[in-house]
C-alpha cells in the first residue's frame, strides 16, 4: 500500500502548469507537511499541497523524508499562497518556497537534526519594569471600541502623533489576552527606519510574555535568525511578529490581528519576482483567517481612502470602515506651512534668503532642521525659469519626461518623443532646465551659504546627509540617525528616507526644496506620493511638546507653483480635501481605484525585439481582451529604457472590473509563454498586477 503525495517545489516563475509534482510515500502525509523530494539528481524542499491519495502508480519516486519536528503549514497559509500566485500571475511553487526561510531549503537532514536538538531557550522572565500605560484619549477609546465590535477591515486615519501606535498596542493586547494562542502580525514599511516601533512593542509586551514573545521578519536578518524567527512564529511561541512586506506570508497558526502601519507606503509592493502588494494580501489574509485588519496612516493610499468611503444617499459605504483620529496627543501643534514663491526669487536661487534667515535663527537657538529634496521616483520635467513653459505632451494631459541619455522629451502615456529643444519653445530663453538637484550638491551649497553661522556652543555648524548613497554601508543609517538624535547635527539633508517614522525631538523646521517635479509627472500617482511625503515630513517637526508652542514649528515649501491645490491642502493639513480632488481627477480619467491595471514588461537586447514581443502578445489576446472589456495599450519604451544594456518596454492593460482583468490575465499568460518561445531575443518578461508606477 502506498500513497500519492502532491508536492509543491520551487518551479520557474512562469511555469504555465505551476502545479504540484507527484511522489509516493508509504505513510499518508497531511497537506502542508514540509518534505524533501528528489528531482533529477537533486533533492529539493517542498510542501505537500493536497491530501494524500491511495496510489497504484508504482513508477513514482518516493518522498525522501518529511522535515522532522515541524508541524504542517495550515490550510489558510496554503490558500494565501495559492491566491497570491494566481492573482499576481506567478507559479504557486515559486511563491510558496520564497515565503519560507532559505535555511529550510539549505540545511541537510543531519544539519536539521542538529539544529532541532539545540534546546529552545526557555522563556526568561523579563527583568523589565511593568510598562506605564497611558490613559486612552477619548478618540483612542472610540476607535478601539469600533475595532472590538466591528468586523473591519479598518482604515485608521490619524495624524502623525495622534496616537495610532497606542491603538495598535491596545488592540494587540486585547487579542493576546483573550486567547492564549492568539498571534498578532504588525507590518511596517522598513524596519530600520522605525526602530522606535519595535522598542515600544517590546517595552509593552516583554514584561508580560517574555522577551521571546516578539520576533521580527525582514531582509536584514541573517539566514539563521530568519529561520529561528520563522519557527518561533510557526510554532506559536512568538505571539507578535513585526516585519516588512515579506511577513505577510509568515506562518502564524493563531493569527487574529494584522496591523499594517503606514499603509500608503509604496514599499509594501514587492518590485521583483511575484510583485505582490503586502497590504492587499493582508486584507485578503484577514478575511481568510477571520483576523481583524487595521490599516493605519496619516495619508492613506487613495485606494484605501476610496474603499473606506462612508455611505451616501445613493451609494453604499465602501468595504473598509474608516476610523478617524484628528487630534495630536498632548499639545504638539502641526507646523505652520510657509510657501516661498520661487518665481519672485533671483534666477537660479536654491535657498531663498527668507528660508536661510529662518534657518540661521533656528540654529542659534539650538534647534534642528531637516532639508528634504524629493527626487525619488520622479523623472524630472523640463521647465523654463523665465516664462514657466513646461514640457507638455500635445496629445495627452501629461508632461513629457526629460531623458538625459538621448536628450529627448518623451511622453510615457502615448510615447510621443522629440529631441530636447535648444531654447524655450515659448519665449526663446536658452536656459531651460530639468527641475531638481541632487542632495550631495545641496549639502555642499548649504555649507557655503551658512559658513558664518555658529552653534550655541560656538562650534561650526554641522550638516549631515542621509540618502541611499550615504547609507550604503551596513549600520551607517543607524549611526547617522543616532548622531541626529544626540544633537550632534544641526541640519540634516536627505531624500524621503528622512521623512519617514523617525522621532526627531528637536526638529522645528522642515524645508522642502523643489517639490514641483511631482506635480507634472507622467505618473498619475506622483501627486499622491508627494502629498504624503510632505505630510510625513511636516509631522517630523514639533514632536517635542516642550519646544512646540503654536508657531514654533514651520514647514517651508519652495515652489514655482505655490498656489497649486496640493500645496493649499497641505497648508491646511487637509488630507481629505486633497484626496477628494485627486479622486475626482482619477474618476474622470478612469484611473485606479476606478479601474484596474496590469503592466506587461519585456526586456530584450533591442528595443524593437522587446516591443515586437509585446505587440505579438497584444495581437494574440486582442479578441479575448475585447470580449472581457480589457483595454491593451500599445507597447512603449520604459521610462528608464535601458538598464545594464538591456532594452525595456512595457504595455499597459486596463479594465473596469478586477475580476475580468484577472480572468483575462490567467488565460493570456499561457499564450505569452508560447510566444516567448518564438521571440528568442526576449531576455525576460513579467506581469505586474496593480502596478504602482507606470
Ligand atoms: P502615531 O503613531 O499616530 O504617530 P503615537 O502612538 O506615536 O502616534 O503617539 C504620539 C505620542 O503620544 C507618543 O509619544 C505616545 O507615547 C503619546 N501617546 C499616545 N497615546 C497617548 C495617550 N493616550 N496618553 C498620553 N500620551 C499618549
Ligand atoms: Zn520660456
Ligand atoms: Zn502623450
Amino acid at each position: 500500500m502506498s500513497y500519492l503525495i502532491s508536492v509543491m517545489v520551487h518551479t520557474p516563475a512562469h511555469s504555465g502548469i505551476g502545479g504540484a509534482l507527484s511522489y509516493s510515500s508509504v505513510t499518508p502525509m497531511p497537506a502542508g507537511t514540509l518534505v524533501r523530494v528528489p528531482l533529477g539528481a537533486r533533492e529539493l524542499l517542498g510542501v505537500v499541497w493536497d491530501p494524500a491519495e491511495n496510489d497504484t502508480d508504482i513508477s513514482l519516486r518516493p518522498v525522501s523524508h518529511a522535515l522532522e519536528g515541524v508541524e504542517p503549514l495550515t490550510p489558510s497559509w496554503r490558500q494565501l499562497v495559492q491566491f497570491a500566485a494566481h492573482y499576481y500571475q506567478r507559479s504557486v511553487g515559486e511563491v510558496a518556497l520564497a515565503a519560507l526561510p532559505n535555511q529550510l531549503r539549505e540545511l541537510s537532514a543531519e544539519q536539521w537534526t542538529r539544529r532541532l536538538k539545540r534546546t529552545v531557550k526557555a522563556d526568561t522572565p523579563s527583568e523589565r519594569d511593568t510598562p506605564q500605560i497611558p490613559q486612552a484619549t477619548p478618540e483612542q477609546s472610540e476607535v478601539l471600541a469600533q475595532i472590538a465590535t466591528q468586523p473591519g477591515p479598518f482604515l485608521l486615519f490619524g495624524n502623525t502623533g495622534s496616537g495610532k501606535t497606542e491603538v495598535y498596542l491596545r488592540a494587540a493586547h486585547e487579542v493576546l489576552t483573550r486567547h492564549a494562542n492568539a498571534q498578532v502580525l504588525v507590518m511596517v514599511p522598513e524596519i530600520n527606519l522605525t526602530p522606535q516601533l519595535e522598542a515600544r512593542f517590546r517595552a509593552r509586551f516583554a514584561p508580560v510574555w517574555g522577551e521571546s514573545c516578539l520576533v521580527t521578519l525582514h531582509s536584514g536578518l541573517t539566514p539563521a535568525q530568519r529561520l529561528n524567527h520563522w519557527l518561533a512564529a510557526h510554532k506559536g511561541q512568538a505571539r507578535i511578529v513585526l516585519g516588512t512586506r515579506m511577513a505577510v506570508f509568515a506562518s502564524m497558526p493563531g493569527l487574529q490581528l494584522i496591523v499594517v502601519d503606514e499603509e500608503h507606503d509604496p514599499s509594501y509592493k514587492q518590485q521583483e519576482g511575484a510583485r505582490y502588494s503586502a497590504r492587499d494580501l493582508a486584507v485578503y489574509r484577514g478575511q481568510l483567517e477571520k483576523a481583524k485588519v487595521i490599516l493605519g496612516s496619516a495619508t492613506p493610499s487613495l485606494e484605501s481612502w476610496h474603499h473606506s468611503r462612508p455611505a451616501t444617499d445613493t451609494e453604499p459605504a465602501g468595504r473598509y470602515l474608516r476610523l478617524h483620529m484628528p487630534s495630536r496627543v498632548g499639545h504638539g501643534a502641526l507646523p505652520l506651512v510657509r510657501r516661498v514663491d520661487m518665481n519672485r526669487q533671483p534666477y537660479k536661487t536654491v535657498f531663498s534668503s527668507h528660508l536661510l534667515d529662518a534657518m540661521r535663527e533656528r540654529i542659534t537657538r539650538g534647534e534642528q532642521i531637516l532639508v528634504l529634496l524629493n527626487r525619488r521616483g520622479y523623472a524630472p520635467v523640463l521647465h523654463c525659469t523665465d516664462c514657466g513653459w513646461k514640457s507638455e505632451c500635445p496629445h495627452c494631459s501629461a508632461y513629457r519626461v526629460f531623458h538625459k541619455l538621448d536628450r529627448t522629451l518623451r511622453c510615457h502615456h502615448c510615447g510621443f518623443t522629440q529631441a530636447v529643444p535648444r531654447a524655450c519653445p515659448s519665449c526663446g530663453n536658452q536656459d531651460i532646465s530639468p527641475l531638481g538637484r541632487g542632495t550631495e550638491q545641496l549639502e555642499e551649497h548649504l555649507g557655503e551659504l551658512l559658513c558664518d553661522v555658529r552653534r550655541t556652543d560656538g562650534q561650526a555648524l554641522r550638516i549631515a546627509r542621509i540618502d541611499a548613497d550615504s547609507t550604503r554601508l551596513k549600520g551607517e543609517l543607524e549611526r547617522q540617525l543616532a548622531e541626529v538624535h544626540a544633537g550632534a547635527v544641526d541640519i540634516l539633508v536627505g531624500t524621503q528616507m528622512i521623512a519617514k517614522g523617525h522621532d526627531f525631538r528637536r526638529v522645528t523646521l522642515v524645508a522642502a526644496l523643489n517639490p514641483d517635479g511631482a506635480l507634472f509627472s507622467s505618473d498619475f500617482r506622483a501627486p499622491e506620493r508627494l502629498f504624503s511625503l510632505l505630510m510625513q515630513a511636516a509631522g517630523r517637526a514639533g514632536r517635542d511638546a516642550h519646544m512646540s508652542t503654536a508657531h514654533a514649528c514651520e514647514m517651508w515649501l519652495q515652489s514655482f507653483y505655490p498656489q497649486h491645490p496640493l500645496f493649499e491642502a497641505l497648508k491646511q493639513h487637509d488630507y481629505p480635501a486633497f484626496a477628494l480632488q485627486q479622486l475626482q481627477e482619477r474618476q474622470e480619467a478612469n484611473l485606479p481605484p476606478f479601474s484596474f491595471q496590469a503592466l506587461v514588461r519585456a526586456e530584450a537586447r533591442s528595443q524593437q525585439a522587446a516591443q515586437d514581443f509585446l505587440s505579438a502578445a497584444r495581437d494574440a489576446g486582442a479578441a479575448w481582451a475585447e470580449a472581457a472589456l480589457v483595454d491593451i495599450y500599445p507597447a512603449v519604451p520604459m521610462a528608464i529604457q535601458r538598464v545594464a544594456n538591456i532594452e525595456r518596454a512595457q504595455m499597459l492593460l486596463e479594465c473596469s472590473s478586477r475580476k475580468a482583468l484577472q480572468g483575462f490575465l490567467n488565460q493570456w499568460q499561457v499564450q505569452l509563454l508560447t510566444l516567448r518561445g518564438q521571440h528568442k531575443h526576449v531576455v525576460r518578461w513579467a506581469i505586474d498586477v496593480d502596478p504602482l508606477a507606470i
Side-chain angles (χ1 to χ4, degrees), residues 52-93:
E53 290 171 32
N54 285 334
D55 176 34
T56 47
D57 185 351
I58 50 159
S59 68
L60 290 175
R61 297 176 79 178
V63 169
S64 305
H65 60 268
L67 245 66
E68 189 191 333
V70 196
E71 288 293 305
L73 293 153
T74 62
S76 332
W77 186 87
R78 280 178 290 124
Q79 171 69 32
L80 173 71
V81 163
Q82 197 145 340
F83 171 81
H86 194 70
Y87 187 82
Y88 295 103
Q89 308 294 321
R90 306 295 286 201
S91 71
V92 177

Coordinates of all heavy atoms in Angstrom, one line a residue, residues 52-93:
A52 N -3.2 13.3 0.8 CA -2.7 12.1 0.2 C -3.8 11.3 -0.4 O -4.9 11.3 0.1 CB -1.9 11.4 1.2
E53 N -3.5 10.6 -1.5 CA -4.5 9.7 -2.1 C -3.9 8.3 -2.2 O -2.7 8.2 -2.2 CB -4.8 10.1 -3.5 CG -5.6 11.4 -3.6 CD -5.7 11.8 -5.1 OE1 -5.7 11.0 -6.0 OE2 -5.8 13.1 -5.3
N54 N -4.8 7.3 -2.2 CA -4.3 6.0 -2.4 C -3.6 5.9 -3.8 O -4.1 6.5 -4.7 CB -5.4 4.9 -2.4 CG -5.8 4.7 -0.9 OD1 -5.0 4.9 0.0 ND2 -7.1 4.4 -0.7
D55 N -2.6 5.2 -3.9 CA -1.8 5.2 -5.1 C -1.6 3.8 -5.7 O -1.4 2.9 -5.0 CB -0.4 5.8 -4.8 CG 0.5 5.8 -6.0 OD1 0.0 6.0 -7.1 OD2 1.7 5.7 -5.8
T56 N -1.7 3.8 -7.0 CA -1.4 2.5 -7.7 C -0.3 2.6 -8.6 O 0.2 1.6 -9.2 CB -2.7 2.0 -8.5 OG1 -3.1 3.2 -9.2 CG2 -3.8 1.5 -7.5
D57 N 0.2 3.9 -8.8 CA 1.3 4.1 -9.8 C 2.6 3.8 -9.2 O 3.1 4.5 -8.3 CB 1.2 5.6 -10.2 CG 2.2 5.9 -11.3 OD1 3.1 5.0 -11.6 OD2 2.2 7.0 -11.8
I58 N 3.2 2.7 -9.5 CA 4.4 2.3 -8.9 C 5.6 3.0 -9.4 O 6.7 2.9 -8.9 CB 4.6 0.7 -9.0 CG1 4.4 0.3 -10.4 CG2 3.7 0.0 -8.0 CD1 5.1 -1.0 -10.8
S59 N 5.5 3.8 -10.5 CA 6.6 4.4 -11.1 C 7.1 5.7 -10.4 O 8.1 6.2 -10.7 CB 6.3 4.7 -12.6 OG 5.3 5.8 -12.6
L60 N 6.2 6.2 -9.5 CA 6.6 7.4 -8.8 C 7.7 7.3 -7.9 O 7.9 6.2 -7.2 CB 5.4 7.9 -8.0 CG 4.2 8.4 -8.8 CD1 3.0 8.8 -7.9 CD2 4.6 9.7 -9.7
R61 N 8.6 8.3 -7.8 CA 9.7 8.2 -6.9 C 9.1 8.6 -5.5 O 8.2 9.4 -5.3 CB 10.8 9.3 -7.3 CG 11.4 9.0 -8.6 CD 12.4 10.0 -9.0 NE 13.6 9.9 -8.3 CZ 14.7 10.7 -8.5 NH1 14.6 11.7 -9.4 NH2 15.8 10.5 -7.9
P62 N 9.7 8.0 -4.5 CA 9.2 8.2 -3.1 C 9.7 9.6 -2.6 O 10.8 10.1 -3.0 CB 9.8 7.1 -2.3 CG 11.0 6.6 -3.0 CD 10.8 6.9 -4.5
V63 N 8.9 10.2 -1.7 CA 9.4 11.4 -1.0 C 10.6 11.0 -0.2 O 10.6 9.9 0.4 CB 8.2 11.8 0.0 CG1 8.7 12.9 1.0 CG2 7.0 12.3 -0.8
S64 N 11.6 11.8 -0.1 CA 12.8 11.4 0.6 C 12.5 11.3 2.1 O 12.7 10.3 2.7 CB 14.0 12.4 0.4 OG 14.2 12.5 -1.0
H65 N 12.0 12.4 2.7 CA 11.6 12.4 4.1 C 10.8 13.7 4.4 O 11.0 14.7 3.7 CB 12.8 12.2 5.0 CG 13.8 13.3 4.9 ND1 14.9 13.3 4.1 CD2 13.8 14.5 5.5 CE1 15.5 14.4 4.2 NE2 15.0 15.2 5.0
A66 N 10.1 13.6 5.5 CA 9.4 14.8 5.9 C 10.3 15.5 6.9 O 11.1 14.8 7.6 CB 8.1 14.4 6.7
L67 N 10.3 16.8 6.9 CA 11.1 17.5 7.9 C 10.7 17.3 9.3 O 9.5 17.5 9.6 CB 11.1 19.0 7.6 CG 12.4 19.6 7.1 CD1 12.8 19.1 5.8 CD2 12.3 21.1 7.1
E68 N 11.6 16.8 10.1 CA 11.3 16.4 11.4 C 11.0 17.6 12.3 O 11.6 18.6 12.1 CB 12.6 15.7 11.9 CG 12.6 15.0 13.2 CD 14.0 14.7 13.6 OE1 14.9 14.6 12.7 OE2 14.3 14.6 14.8
G69 N 10.0 17.4 13.1 CA 9.8 18.4 14.2 C 9.1 19.7 13.7 O 9.1 20.7 14.4
V70 N 8.5 19.7 12.5 CA 7.8 20.9 12.1 C 6.4 20.5 11.7 O 6.1 19.7 10.9 CB 8.4 21.6 10.8 CG1 7.9 23.0 10.6 CG2 9.9 21.5 10.8
E71 N 5.4 21.2 12.4 CA 4.0 21.0 12.1 C 3.7 21.4 10.7 O 4.4 22.3 10.1 CB 3.2 21.8 13.1 CG 3.2 21.3 14.5 CD 2.4 20.0 14.6 OE1 1.3 19.9 14.2 OE2 3.1 19.0 15.1
P72 N 2.7 20.7 10.1 CA 2.3 21.1 8.7 C 1.9 22.6 8.7 O 1.3 23.1 9.6 CB 1.2 20.2 8.4 CG 1.3 19.1 9.3 CD 1.9 19.6 10.5
L73 N 2.1 23.2 7.5 CA 1.6 24.6 7.3 C 0.0 24.5 7.2 O -0.5 23.5 6.7 CB 2.2 25.1 6.0 CG 3.7 25.4 6.2 CD1 4.3 25.3 4.8 CD2 3.9 26.7 6.8
T74 N -0.6 25.5 7.7 CA -2.1 25.4 7.8 C -2.8 25.5 6.4 O -2.2 26.1 5.5 CB -2.7 26.6 8.6 OG1 -2.3 27.8 8.0 CG2 -2.1 26.5 10.0
P75 N -4.0 25.1 6.3 CA -4.7 25.2 5.0 C -4.8 26.7 4.6 O -4.8 27.0 3.5 CB -6.1 24.7 5.3 CG -5.9 23.7 6.5 CD -4.8 24.3 7.3
S76 N -5.0 27.6 5.6 CA -5.1 29.0 5.2 C -3.8 29.5 4.6 O -3.8 30.4 3.8 CB -5.5 29.9 6.4 OG -6.2 29.3 7.4
W77 N -2.7 29.1 5.2 CA -1.4 29.5 4.6 C -1.3 29.1 3.2 O -1.0 29.9 2.3 CB -0.3 29.0 5.5 CG 1.1 29.5 5.0 CD1 1.6 30.7 5.5 CD2 1.9 28.9 4.1 NE1 2.8 30.8 4.8 CE2 3.1 29.8 4.0 CE3 1.9 27.8 3.3 CZ2 4.1 29.5 3.1 CZ3 3.0 27.5 2.4 CH2 4.1 28.4 2.3
R78 N -1.7 27.9 2.9 CA -1.6 27.4 1.5 C -2.6 28.1 0.6 O -2.3 28.5 -0.5 CB -1.9 25.9 1.5 CG -0.7 25.0 1.9 CD -0.9 23.6 1.9 NE -1.8 23.2 2.9 CZ -3.0 22.6 2.8 NH1 -3.4 22.2 1.6 NH2 -3.7 22.3 3.9
Q79 N -3.7 28.4 1.2 CA -4.7 29.2 0.4 C -4.2 30.6 0.1 O -4.4 31.1 -1.0 CB -6.0 29.3 1.2 CG -7.1 30.2 0.7 CD -7.7 29.7 -0.6 OE1 -7.8 28.4 -0.8 NE2 -8.1 30.6 -1.5
L80 N -3.6 31.2 1.1 CA -3.0 32.6 0.9 C -2.0 32.5 -0.3 O -2.0 33.4 -1.2 CB -2.3 33.0 2.2 CG -1.5 34.4 2.1 CD1 -2.5 35.5 1.9 CD2 -0.7 34.6 3.3
V81 N -1.1 31.5 -0.2 CA 0.0 31.4 -1.2 C -0.6 31.2 -2.6 O -0.3 31.8 -3.6 CB 0.9 30.3 -0.8 CG1 1.8 29.8 -2.0 CG2 1.8 30.7 0.3
Q82 N -1.6 30.3 -2.6 CA -2.3 30.0 -3.9 C -3.0 31.2 -4.5 O -2.9 31.4 -5.7 CB -3.3 28.8 -3.6 CG -3.7 28.2 -4.9 CD -4.0 26.7 -4.7 OE1 -3.5 26.1 -3.7 NE2 -4.7 26.1 -5.6
F83 N -3.6 31.9 -3.6 CA -4.3 33.1 -4.1 C -3.3 34.1 -4.6 O -3.4 34.7 -5.7 CB -5.1 33.8 -3.0 CG -5.6 35.1 -3.3 CD1 -6.8 35.3 -4.1 CD2 -4.9 36.3 -2.9 CE1 -7.2 36.5 -4.4 CE2 -5.4 37.5 -3.3 CZ -6.6 37.7 -4.1
A84 N -2.2 34.3 -3.9 CA -1.2 35.3 -4.3 C -0.6 34.9 -5.7 O -0.4 35.8 -6.5 CB -0.1 35.4 -3.2
A85 N -0.3 33.6 -5.8 CA 0.3 33.2 -7.0 C -0.7 33.4 -8.2 O -0.3 33.9 -9.3 CB 0.7 31.7 -6.9
H86 N -1.9 33.1 -8.0 CA -2.9 33.2 -9.0 C -3.1 34.7 -9.4 O -3.1 35.1 -10.5 CB -4.2 32.6 -8.5 CG -5.2 32.3 -9.5 ND1 -5.1 31.4 -10.5 CD2 -6.4 32.9 -9.8 CE1 -6.1 31.4 -11.3 NE2 -6.9 32.3 -10.9
Y87 N -3.2 35.5 -8.4 CA -3.6 36.9 -8.6 C -2.4 37.6 -9.2 O -2.6 38.5 -10.1 CB -3.9 37.6 -7.3 CG -4.4 39.0 -7.5 CD1 -5.8 39.2 -7.8 CD2 -3.6 40.1 -7.4 CE1 -6.2 40.5 -8.1 CE2 -4.0 41.4 -7.6 CZ -5.4 41.6 -7.9 OH -5.8 42.8 -8.2
Y88 N -1.2 37.3 -8.8 CA 0.0 38.1 -9.4 C 0.7 37.3 -10.5 O 1.8 37.6 -10.9 CB 0.9 38.4 -8.2 CG 0.3 39.4 -7.3 CD1 -0.2 39.0 -6.0 CD2 0.1 40.7 -7.6 CE1 -0.8 39.9 -5.2 CE2 -0.5 41.7 -6.8 CZ -0.9 41.2 -5.6 OH -1.6 42.1 -4.7
Q89 N 0.0 36.3 -11.0 CA 0.4 35.6 -12.2 C 1.8 34.9 -12.1 O 2.7 35.1 -13.0 CB 0.4 36.6 -13.4 CG -0.9 37.3 -13.6 CD -2.0 36.4 -14.0 OE1 -1.9 35.4 -14.8 NE2 -3.2 36.6 -13.4
R90 N 2.0 34.3 -11.0 CA 3.3 33.5 -10.8 C 2.9 32.1 -10.5 O 1.8 31.7 -10.2 CB 4.1 34.1 -9.7 CG 4.4 35.6 -9.8 CD 5.2 35.9 -11.0 NE 6.6 35.5 -10.9 CZ 7.6 36.1 -11.6 NH1 7.3 37.0 -12.5 NH2 8.8 35.7 -11.4
S91 N 3.9 31.2 -10.4 CA 3.7 29.8 -10.1 C 3.5 29.7 -8.6 O 4.2 30.4 -7.8 CB 4.8 28.9 -10.6 OG 5.9 29.1 -9.9
V92 N 2.7 28.8 -8.2 CA 2.4 28.5 -6.7 C 3.7 28.1 -6.0 O 4.1 28.6 -5.0 CB 1.3 27.5 -6.5 CG1 1.1 27.2 -5.0 CG2 0.0 27.9 -7.2
G93 N 4.5 27.2 -6.7 CA 5.8 26.8 -6.2 C 6.7 27.9 -5.9 O 7.3 27.9 -4.8

